[in-house]
Amino acid sequence: MKKQIKIIALFSVLIFTTIIACSKNEDLDSNAPGVVTNITVTPTNGGGIINYTLPSDNDILYVKAVYTNSLGDEVYRVSSKYNTSIEVNGLNQTTPVNVKLYVVDESENTSQEVQIEFTPLKSFIFLVQESINISPDLGGVKITWDNIASKTVFVYVHILDGAEETIRILSSNNAQESIFIRGLPSKELTFSTKVEDFDGNITELEEKGRYTPLFEEKIDKSSWTLISGQSINGNAYEGRTVNFWDDVVDTVETDADNSYFIITRDNNGGSLNFPLDIVIDLNKNVKIQRFKVWQRAYWYQGGGVTYHYQEENLKSFDLYASNDAQTWNLLGQFDIGDPRDAAGNIPASAFQEAIEGHEFSLPNTSEQFRYLKFSITSNYGSTQITVGSEITLYGLDNL
């Protein structure tokens, strides 16, 4: 008897569930939405902008455009119900492309297709390739290009040195780009480029010419002297301002190489009033294009604990050049950055960068100058002390 009751109960539950499911299915919208109308297309370099009017359905989710790209793959793009246009891109052809447009509603019903056809303009990757300019620079070359689409491009730079070829890959989505390639010998090299977009379209490799990078050297620091009357006082505890260019980089492992300046508020009027200037007479004329700066590294807590990125270390600074120590030309504004997360953790790559020195490039090679002003504009938070270890310049020495 109990077994029969269980069977009847189970059968009742099954019937009830089936009734509920059927009721839900009856509530589902199975009506396809209307189609887009009033379609117009504005061709772009490598695609097109399709404008349309949405149907009057009140449950539209998105519009979908389906087409075959220039690599022969069927792809699609979608645009939400809040838009009245959709962009088709990733094309490198100047022949007509057929696009199918669908409206999809919240119940995943799809409208009938509407087909349109248009011819895209010449892809922006070819325009980037045509605009590439290469010019010799200190220790390498400077490469510039225009990207009217402001879309990501990958520029492959093939550098031929006799029979040996190296390839550098540069990437950017800037409308105008300028990038240096460093570490090249001062000899004639052949440069070729090709450009690829994010969808895999790529131009042919094109030779851009032969260029000889300018000779670059580390600027010797043995002649440098401090102009103390224009400089902050960095002589506190074991620190000395002149340690900033003694060619000794402070390290984490030992206090035997403690070489850094220590700027304290007590030695400078009772407060750290940024900018904190260190003015150097190089006692010769130089030109520079890049430089490195090192933070203080050693921490007296010991145990291999690093002082990098601690609140007293220098963070941002301006660099000035002069030929009379009175009229100053701004070479650039620079920031080491703050790699610390909310919990204060710092990635290993940031420590490695600090150990190797933070490298900065000027927008262009400087004019010849004799005096250098290193103007610290911030540290990592301290209101009492600012420290830094070393600076090294690269360019043309003793002109």
Side-chain angles (χ1 to χ4, degrees):
M1 183 67 178
K2 288 183 179 180
K3 185 175 181 181
Q4 288 179 337
I5 292 174
K6 288 182 179 179
I7 292 173
I8 293 171
L10 182 60
F11 183 68
S12 299
V13 170
L14 181 60
I15 291 175
F16 180 75
T17 303
T18 303
I19 292 172
I20 294 298
C22 290
S23 176
K24 287 185 177 180
N25 286 335
E26 288 174 359
D27 291 338
L28 286 177
D29 175 17
S30 59
N31 297 318
V35 298
V36 293
T37 55
N38 301 322
I39 300 169
T40 60
V41 183
T42 303
T44 62
N45 296 101
I49 305 295
I50 303 173
N51 293 279
Y52 48 78
T53 299
L54 291 167
S56 59
D57 303 65
N58 59 11
D59 62 345
I60 294 172
L61 190 59
Y62 60 85
V63 173
K64 181 177 182 180
V66 180
Y67 59 100
T68 300
N69 66 18
S70 301
L71 301 176
D73 300 322
E74 184 175 86
V75 295
Y76 67 89
R77 301 289 187 265
V78 297
S79 183
S80 81
K81 62 181 179 182
Y82 301 107
N83 299 321
T84 57
S85 66
I86 190 168
E87 182 178 8
V88 170
N89 52 28
L91 302 171
N92 70 347
Q93 64 196 64
T94 52
T95 56
V97 58
N98 181 272
V99 181
K100 299 174 183 177
L101 297 173
Y102 302 92
V103 179
V104 180
D105 67 18
E106 295 173 356
S107 298
E108 299 184 0
N109 298 309
T110 301
S111 73
Q112 293 182 345
E113 70 179 40
V114 176
Q115 294 192 34
I116 57 104
E117 189 173 84
F118 74 96
T119 301
L121 302 178
K122 187 177 184 180
S123 174
F124 65 93
I125 62 174
F126 297 102
L127 302 182
V128 171
Q129 174 76 308
E130 292 169 2
S131 72
I132 289 175
N133 181 70
I134 300 176
S135 58
D137 213 287
L138 291 171
V141 295
K142 181 169 72 171
I143 298 183
T144 63
W145 67 77
D146 297 324
N147 181 357
I148 64 170
S150 294
K151 295 182 183 296
T152 299
V153 293
F154 304 93
V155 176
Y156 295 79
V157 183
H158 293 242
I159 306 170
L160 193 61
D161 180 2
E164 183 177 343
E165 183 181 57
T166 58
I167 301 174
R168 304 284 183 93
I169 303 175
L170 314 177
S171 178
S172 167
N173 62 359
N174 294 329
Q176 292 184 315
E177 188 55 87
S178 177
I179 298 178
F180 290 97
I181 294 181
R182 298 288 177 205
L184 301 179
S186 184
K187 58 191 292 189
E188 187 177 75
L189 304 170
T190 301
F191 292 83
S192 301
T193 64
K194 60 183 178 181
V195 181
E196 184 179 20
D197 66 15
F198 202 76
D199 295 279
N201 300 302
I202 193 165
T203 67
E204 295 291 330
L205 186 65
E206 176 185 348
E207 183 175 318
K208 290 293 183 177
R210 298 180 180 182
Y211 303 93
T212 302
L214 304 179
F215 174 72
E216 181 192 58
E217 59 190 322
K218 175 185 172 184
I219 304 299
D220 181 77
K221 293 181 262 188
S222 60
S223 65
W224 297 13
T225 55
L226 175 69
I227 302 182
S228 56
Q230 297 186 42
S231 300
I232 204 76
N233 184 350
N235 303 329
Y237 309 109
E238 73 277 13
R240 294 291 179 271
T241 307
V242 295
N243 289 349
F244 195 37
W245 58 88
D246 65 355
D247 261 336
V248 179
V249 175
D250 186 38
T251 61
V252 174
E253 292 76 18
T254 176
D255 61 356
D257 55 12
N258 281 356
S259 175
Y260 38 76
F261 60 79
I262 300 179
I263 301 169
T264 68
R265 67 180 185 182
D266 294 339
N267 285 354
N268 292 280
S271 63
L272 292 181
N273 293 318
F274 293 102
L276 309 173
D277 294 340
I278 297 175
V279 181
I280 307 167
D281 183 354
L282 308 183
N283 290 295
K284 58 185 174 182
N285 294 318
V286 303
K287 289 184 178 182
I288 66 170
Q289 205 292 313
R290 66 185 180 99
F291 63 96
K292 283 188 174 184
V293 170
W294 283 264
Q295 303 177 48
R296 174 180 169 179
Y298 186 78
W299 200 350
Y300 282 93
Q301 287 189 4
V305 179
T306 179
Y307 204 71
H308 294 128
Y309 304 106
Q310 294 302 313
E311 63 176 11
E312 294 174 353
N313 257 310
L314 64 91
K315 178 180 179 292
S316 64
F317 53 91
D318 299 339
L319 203 64
Y320 296 87
S322 175
N323 285 305
D324 60 7
Q326 300 299 320
T327 303
W328 295 96
N329 175 41
L330 178 65
L331 298 180
Q333 297 178 307
F334 307 94
D335 194 326
I336 292 172
D338 192 345
R340 299 174 295 182
D341 63 18
N345 300 311
I346 301 173
S349 58
F351 284 124
Q352 189 60 38
E353 179 185 352
I355 292 169
E356 295 176 358
H358 304 282
E359 182 170 334
F360 301 93
S361 292
L362 306 184
N364 295 289
T365 300
S366 73
E367 297 295 327
Q368 180 175 299
F369 68 90
R370 170 172 171 170
Y371 301 93
L372 183 74
K373 178 161 67 174
F374 188 87
S375 186
I376 303 169
T377 53
S378 73
N379 58 26
Y380 285 90
S382 175
T383 60
Q384 301 183 44
I385 296 176
T386 296
V387 297
S389 178
E390 189 73 19
I391 184 171
T392 295
L393 311 177
Y394 298 91
L396 296 176
D397 199 2
N398 202 24
L399 298 174

